[in-house]
Amino acid sequence: MTDYDKAEQVKLLIQNLLSQGGFQAQVEYEDSLLKGLVFNISTRESRSLIGRQGMTLHALEILVHALAARTFKGELFRFSLDVDDYKRKREWSLKELARETAGKLQATGKSIALEPMPNYERRIVHAYLQENYPEIVSVSEGVDPNRKIVVSLK
């Protein structure tokens, strides 16, 4: 089975799952070098599918991966889900938050604690700071769901 056939099967799987959940949605996919295969769901009910801090979207992605693994009998097929480009927009805002935090830290020299966020969002912030600000160190502190990033100078 080609990757195109698999992508079409996953698209149908997502559409059926959303339909059974009572959602009217369009599912499109694109393959990019940086993000890989991304299935973007467009719907008027995007807030319900995204959830607080993207938690519902994350859970939906886990469910679709499990269904796809069963469909392809364990054969590896990598992809991700997004709803109305939420992840792309959220990644931009997290990088912007990291940039602003680094600026405040450099100006004041005092450690800064960010609001609690899920692990996949913390990874984006850590990676951005590590890549762009070698003089800054970031660590996660606390216990989920209240785990947060603390940023300080080396």
Side-chain angles (χ1 to χ4, degrees):
M1 182 179 298
T2 68
D3 283 350
Y4 175 78
D5 292 334
K6 288 180 185 177
E8 286 296 318
Q9 279 193 299
V10 171
K11 178 180 174 179
L12 286 173
L13 192 146
I14 295 167
Q15 287 173 328
N16 290 338
L17 182 64
L18 293 173
S19 177
Q20 289 174 4
F23 292 95
Q24 291 184 346
Q26 293 268 13
V27 180
E28 300 296 327
Y29 60 89
E30 70 174 82
D31 197 3
S32 73
L33 291 174
L34 294 176
K35 299 287 182 185
L37 188 62
V38 178
F39 289 87
N40 194 26
I41 302 165
S42 299
T43 179
R44 291 183 180 187
E45 303 153 292
S46 59
R47 294 182 106 194
S48 296
L49 288 177
I50 294 168
R52 184 173 179 270
Q53 290 187 319
M55 295 301 268
T56 305
L57 174 57
H58 185 65
L60 179 63
E61 188 170 47
I62 291 170
L63 178 60
V64 172
H65 276 117
L67 292 171
R70 186 186 320 162
T71 301
F72 303 131
K73 297 177 182 24
E75 192 177 326
L76 188 63
F77 184 63
R78 294 188 185 273
F79 63 89
S80 62
L81 294 187
D82 202 353
V83 174
D84 290 330
D85 291 322
Y86 167 79
K87 284 184 178 177
R88 183 180 54 81
K89 293 170 188 171
R90 182 68 179 148
E91 183 176 338
W92 180 86
S93 67
L94 288 168
K95 288 178 179 179
E96 200 57 26
L97 172 66
R99 189 184 61 73
E100 289 171 5
T101 302
K104 287 178 190 174
L105 176 63
Q106 289 169 332
T108 65
K110 295 182 182 179
S111 295
I112 300 172
L114 302 178
E115 292 295 316
M117 61 184 75
N119 66 340
Y120 51 90
E121 291 186 354
R122 288 193 312 271
R123 263 189 248 122
I124 292 169
V125 174
H126 285 304
Y128 181 82
L129 289 171
Q130 187 177 27
E131 184 178 314
N132 295 289
Y133 299 94
E135 71 281 5
I136 292 177
V137 64
S138 62
V139 294
S140 292
E141 292 182 355
V143 179
D144 282 330
N146 297 315
R147 197 159 167 83
K148 59 187 171 189
I149 295 175
V150 177
V151 183
S152 56
L153 293 172
K154 283 189 177 175

